[in-house]
Amino acid sequence: MAEPFVSFISLLLKTQPDYALAHPRQKPFNDTLRQAMRKRITVILQRSRPTPTTDTPRLQRFPSIYTDYLESKLMNSANSEEEYSNPRDLEVRIHYLEKEVKELWYRLRHISDRLSALPDTLITQILLYLPTKDSIKTNFLSKRFKDLWLQVPGLEMHSHELAAIQNFIATFLQINRGSRLQKFKITYNGRNVCSHGISEFIAGVINRGVQQLDVGSSTLKRPLTNDLVPVNIYKSNTLVSLKLANVGMQNPPEFGVSLPCLKTVHLEDITTKDPLIVEKLISGCPVLEDLTVFRAFDDNVPVLRVRSLSLKRFCVKFSRARTIHGKEYAVEVDAPGLKYLNFRDNLSDKVVAKNLSSLFKIDIDTQFSFGMSTTITVQIKQAIISDFLKGVSGVRHMIISQPTLKILYAWMNNGAFTKFRNLTRLEASFCTVLLQRLPHFLEGCPKLKHLTLYLLYLKDLEPENLELTVVPQCLLCTLECVEVKEVATVEKAGKKRARYIKKTKVSKHKKKIWIELVRYILENSLVLKKLVLCFSSATNSVLEISEALPTFTIRSPGCEIINHLTSL
């Protein structure tokens, strides 16, 4: 056990960060102080543990390695030069550090013992879920694990300098040249990606039947190359999961795309010369089930068309972080088997949703390019929003944000609201201005059973009173559970004066508005079984729920009222 323990300490030493990285604002300790610390640690260790008598060179080096580790650990945790000047304090700290090391070692040994009962093939599958650098660390557990990480059917690397791992990747692939890789994941931060042979590595693992491919940059704002992804990616017979982030994609070959096993695709901030790249990719994936697209303002894909018979989950995100003036975008979803849609597209002027007969859940957080387009009239925009809502009207579970509700009410003010006849669960964020329209929205949800309201207090927009008079059908017939939850206060952008409103005035106004909402729910819900109120402690004390409840007429006698405190 001695040899593995020495390897374990050596590994801990390698994982210790440099002091300058751990404390970027602190002045680093000079060499004299560090040498003095090492001498004091050595004296303490000599008193507490015997000197090794074995002739094994590695064990003979153990005191030096252990001293290096303790010195590094102590220095990285120190806030000043005087922190360990007292010998007794230093000895106590070393005692606790040794205790931590032993506990970690015993936990790892316990895991090792349990893993040792498993066959190598199963252990390598477990190690496949770890980054490669962590998989390598298991080699100190026992002799059996020494080279076992080399048999793991996958690589997961992250590097600031690709040149540093280029040889490692080449060696690993050479050692496993006769086996099929299940996973190849590489995340980089550096430049000149292609010059380090990454594109060739990707092409090689695709030819060797890789199943999960994940390539991208973790920090770079834009792709630095337009041809990182090789052309043979469009003809893989084994690829099951594909994730590309901040990379350029080459145009598909003339003979098209054929990915018969691909089920999951994640495209984030990709660039391409082919405006139909996503459409062609989807058309070549007959079993595609999960698609995520984070669009870039300059991705050269003005119209994102998603047409698939097999697609079950689709997420799209398009923020307003950067735009090209005068450029218009559109998104079209045609997926009869789609069950979940996450729509966070704030830039597309045209949004089309059709043939979504299987849609079960939708999460909407969009402003429908409000304030961005200069060519679309109010009538056209109303028609686009109305058609989109009709396209998703068969949904059963809806999550909708306050900005989206605000835009819907603004654009659809003069028209009838879409009815969601199958909707049974609704989660919506409302400020008091929008709460005034809550009954009108609920009129379009005749089968609603579960309602969750997230209440926002917008200081500059709150009306003096809340008058709720319309009683929708769902309150009378189907609504069984209502949750009312307070979320963090939001101030209107650019309105500095809102910060100076006295807390007492705000609290009294909250009480007046939100108590009226609770009263409206209790006095108009005939089949309500549960009402859950979640307010902050400050709001809860002002609302005085327990004192107010006896004054309400509760129309559903069996209704259970639960009052929770929440932190904002």
Side-chain angles (χ1 to χ4, degrees), residues 36-42 44 70-71 74 83-97:
M37 172 69 78
R38 286 180 55 81
K39 289 181 179 179
R40 284 184 286 171
I41 294 174
T42 301
I44 293 173
L70 293 176
E71 182 261 342
L74 290 168
E83 186 161 337
Y84 300 121
S85 58
N86 188 315
R88 179 55 183 166
D89 291 342
L90 178 61
E91 189 168 355
V92 171
R93 179 59 179 153
I94 290 177
H95 170 75
Y96 281 104
L97 279 178

Side-chain angles (χ1 to χ4, degrees), residues 3-12 14 58 105 108-109 112 115 123 127 130 132-150 152 168:
E3 286 279 355
F5 186 71
V6 176
S7 301
F8 171 67
I9 297 299
S10 300
L11 184 61
L12 290 181
K14 292 179 181 179
R58 191 172 183 82
W105 169 249
L108 290 174
R109 291 297 301 178
S112 173
L115 288 175
I123 295 176
L127 296 180
L130 299 177
T132 300
K133 66 175 184 178
D134 294 331
S135 177
I136 295 174
K137 294 176 184 178
T138 61
N139 65 2
F140 66 81
L141 292 177
S142 66
K143 291 183 179 179
R144 180 187 177 190
F145 281 86
K146 186 173 182 179
D147 296 323
L148 198 58
W149 66 272
L150 288 170
V152 175
F168 176 86

Side-chain angles (χ1 to χ4, degrees), residues 42-97:
T42 301
V43 171
I44 293 173
L45 291 180
Q46 287 176 348
R47 291 202 309 262
S48 60
R49 63 175 64 245
T51 302
T53 57
T54 179
D55 294 331
T56 305
R58 191 172 183 82
L59 289 180
Q60 289 290 345
R61 294 197 306 271
F62 174 71
S64 176
I65 297 173
Y66 197 40
T67 301
D68 288 344
Y69 168 71
L70 293 176
E71 182 261 342
S72 177
K73 189 78 172 176
L74 290 168
M75 285 298 187
N76 284 336
S77 61
N79 295 316
S80 67
E81 297 178 0
E82 296 80 15
E83 186 161 337
Y84 300 121
S85 58
N86 188 315
R88 179 55 183 166
D89 291 342
L90 178 61
E91 189 168 355
V92 171
R93 179 59 179 153
I94 290 177
H95 170 75
Y96 281 104
L97 279 178

Side-chain angles (χ1 to χ4, degrees), residues 258-467:
S258 178
L259 298 166
C261 297
L262 191 59
K263 293 185 177 181
T264 302
V265 174
H266 182 111
L267 305 176
E268 184 173 344
D269 292 344
I270 64 166
T271 57
T272 178
K273 296 179 181 178
D274 187 351
L276 301 178
I277 184 71
V278 178
E279 188 173 354
K280 292 178 180 179
L281 188 64
I282 295 173
S283 66
C285 304
V287 295
L288 182 64
E289 296 181 355
D290 191 340
L291 173 64
T292 299
V293 180
F294 287 5
R295 302 190 64 183
F297 74 101
D298 57 350
D299 60 8
N300 197 34
V301 184
V303 181
L304 176 64
R305 288 191 179 90
V306 179
R307 298 173 179 171
S308 173
L309 295 174
S310 60
L311 192 65
K312 296 180 180 179
R313 187 178 186 273
F314 176 48
C315 302
V316 59
K317 182 179 180 180
F318 202 176
S319 69
R320 298 188 179 195
R322 298 179 67 183
T323 60
I324 298 177
H325 181 71
K327 185 174 182 179
E328 294 186 353
Y329 305 89
V331 59
E332 178 183 324
V333 185
D334 183 350
L338 192 68
K339 296 183 180 297
Y340 173 72
L341 173 61
N342 188 314
F343 192 81
R344 300 179 183 274
D345 185 340
N346 283 316
L347 282 182
S348 293
D349 305 281
K350 299 179 181 179
V351 182
V352 179
K354 55 185 179 181
N355 297 327
L356 304 184
S357 55
S358 301
L359 190 62
F360 178 82
K361 182 178 180 180
I362 185 170
D363 188 342
I364 313 176
D365 184 6
T366 177
Q367 296 180 0
F368 294 99
S369 73
F370 179 75
M372 303 295 295
S373 177
T374 57
T375 61
I376 296 181
T377 64
V378 173
Q379 291 76 16
I380 295 177
K381 177 62 72 172
Q382 285 181 337
I384 291 173
I385 296 176
S386 179
D387 289 343
F388 173 76
L389 295 178
K390 290 178 181 177
V392 300
S393 60
V395 69
R396 292 169 174 79
H397 182 181
M398 177 186 291
I399 303 174
I400 189 166
S401 70
Q402 185 267 341
T404 302
L405 283 171
K406 181 180 177 181
I407 295 301
L408 292 183
Y409 284 129
W411 283 105
M412 309 302 294
N413 192 37
N414 298 323
F417 226 86
T418 301
K419 287 189 177 295
F420 300 93
R421 300 189 181 278
N422 297 326
L423 193 67
T424 59
R425 189 181 186 97
L426 172 65
E427 301 177 46
S429 300
F430 280 87
C431 63
T432 308
V433 175
L434 297 180
L435 274 178
Q436 197 70 50
R437 303 294 302 274
L438 173 63
H440 301 280
F441 188 84
L442 295 182
E443 281 187 319
C445 312
K447 296 182 180 180
L448 192 65
K449 292 185 177 182
H450 194 132
L451 172 64
T452 301
L453 298 175
Y454 298 98
L455 301 183
L456 295 86
Y457 189 84
L458 303 179
K459 294 179 180 179
D460 284 4
L461 300 178
E462 298 302 312
E464 289 298 323
N465 299 296
L466 179 64
E467 298 179 0

Side-chain angles (χ1 to χ4, degrees), residues 186-205:
I186 181 167
T187 307
Y188 57 87
N189 298 338
R191 296 176 179 270
N192 302 321
V193 179
C194 289
S195 65
H196 294 298
I198 300 302
S199 183
E200 289 74 13
F201 287 143
I202 296 173
V205 297

